[in-house]
Amino acid sequence: MNQTLEKKQLRSVMLGAAFLMATSAIGPGFLTQTTVFTEQLLASFAFVILISVLIDIAAQLNIWRIIAVSGKRAQDIANDVLPGLGYVLALLVVMGGLAFNIGNIGGAGLGANVLFGIDPKTGAIISCVLAVGIFVVKEAGRAMDRFTQILGFVMIALTLYVMFTAQPPYGEAALRTVAPLELDILAIVTLVGGTVGGYITFAGGHRLIDAGIKGKEYLPVVTKSAVTAIGVASLMRILLFLAVLGVVSQGLKLDPGNPPASVFQHAAGNIGYKIFGVVMWSAAVTSVVGAAYTSVSFIRSFSPWIDRHAKKFIIGFILISTLVFVIVGQPVKILVLVGSLNGLILPLALGVMLIAAYKARIVGDYKHPMWLTVVGVITVIAMALMGGYSLINGIPQLFK
């Protein structure tokens, strides 16, 4: 792609990357985490959201800017920093992406079950066919961009409606954003991990590279896209938080088996339950697409053959995830282990980016903003400690 991309084309790619990253973050786990933490912390969860959004933006800006300036994908930057490290990072991302995709395809099946009353496995297969269809078309990148944007808008619009029907205490939520009654560090780290952890932050960064957005001259576009992505994911989180707060403030109890579904049902009755089906399906199927695309982007540069057949690998990735879900269901122990390992991806990748930012052979004469470095280092330390903690706790679960 030439240096002077048309403005319209730039805007399209920028939004495409932003929505791919945001909808990758908004998956079944995102809906459940937000609901459960709101039920526990009530209005004080607003402060947790605020802090996590600030950390998300700093982490994402660090990663996307270095990817864009170097013109390389994260695994290649890691190999430049320390030979072999890129292969470790790629392995962690692909393992995490595959494990979470089994959960995502299960979530799509659950959404279809709520909407049409069909068996979740049948719903998962139909969702798989649709996701695969995106990568069969010639302009797969554009189709993926449009798909994630449409479903992203659908999720936000429907959750906005449910939020209004739930009648949350807006004043209390606004007050607790800056003056929380309680602080939960675990909730902050969980939210950061759920928004920019694992493969998620790279979804948009690698999409920009694939669309030819690389070099210092594109940094304003990259920055705008990165912030927009966090903005979209955070807007969805805020709307869902307010909807849950409205329901629990009325003293209504949530179903522990499916907390988000009961929020939508309490707020808007049977229509609310069907809306949950649409939101769950949209959240899950866009995460299926994002996880498959991003995981394969981590192995493309290791072989020209893989690069040439990237779309086939993405389709294979989606098919394997679906097959495992349909035959095995959710392999709980594997998910626990990979979920624990997943917590190490952000500190490892962000740490690599911060080192790369100061190596001229990788970024040329680019000068990385000091404030991004400082916030990045703090994030690496916090997420590494939390990732280690979750790994130590996760491993014993395998032997129970």
Side-chain angles (χ1 to χ4, degrees), residues 114-288:
V114 168
L115 278 172
F116 308 113
I118 57 177
D119 182 89
K121 289 185 177 179
T122 308
I125 292 166
I126 294 167
S127 305
C128 163
V129 170
L130 193 76
V132 163
I134 292 169
F135 297 101
V136 171
V137 301
K138 193 179 176 190
E139 289 280 350
R142 197 170 293 176
M144 179 175 68
D145 291 350
R146 193 50 51 93
F147 182 72
T148 54
Q149 283 174 53
I150 290 168
L151 291 187
F153 280 121
V154 166
M155 285 190 281
I156 287 168
L158 291 176
T159 310
L160 181 66
Y161 166 75
V162 171
M163 181 205 79
F164 281 128
T165 59
Q167 298 177 314
Y170 299 106
E172 175 75 1
L175 174 64
R176 299 303 161 213
T177 305
V178 290
L181 294 173
E182 57 180 312
L183 176 61
D184 190 331
I185 301 293
L186 178 63
I188 293 172
V189 178
T190 305
L191 255 59
V192 172
T195 309
V196 292
Y199 70 88
I200 299 168
T201 186
F202 303 103
H206 284 186
R207 175 72 189 106
L208 290 174
I209 286 282
D210 289 347
I213 308 289
K214 46 182 109 167
K216 274 200 305 186
E217 66 272 28
Y218 286 120
L219 275 178
V221 175
V222 172
T223 300
K224 198 172 178 183
S225 186
V227 175
T228 302
I230 298 297
V232 171
S234 304
L235 175 61
M236 181 66 183
R237 184 144 1 235
I238 290 162
L239 295 177
L240 184 56
F241 153 67
L242 289 170
V244 180
L245 187 62
V247 168
V248 295
S249 296
Q250 294 168 40
L252 298 166
K253 289 274 174 265
L254 304 186
D255 171 15
N258 195 347
S262 55
V263 168
F264 282 68
Q265 198 160 16
H266 280 314
N270 280 335
I271 292 173
Y273 187 59
K274 293 296 181 188
I275 287 174
F276 165 74
V278 177
V279 171
M280 171 58 96
W281 182 83
S282 302
V285 81
T286 50
S287 294
V288 167

Side-chain angles (χ1 to χ4, degrees), residues 291-305:
Y293 168 81
T294 312
S295 297
V296 171
S297 78
F298 266 85
I299 57 172
R300 282 179 70 163
S301 54
F302 297 154
S303 153
W305 182 76

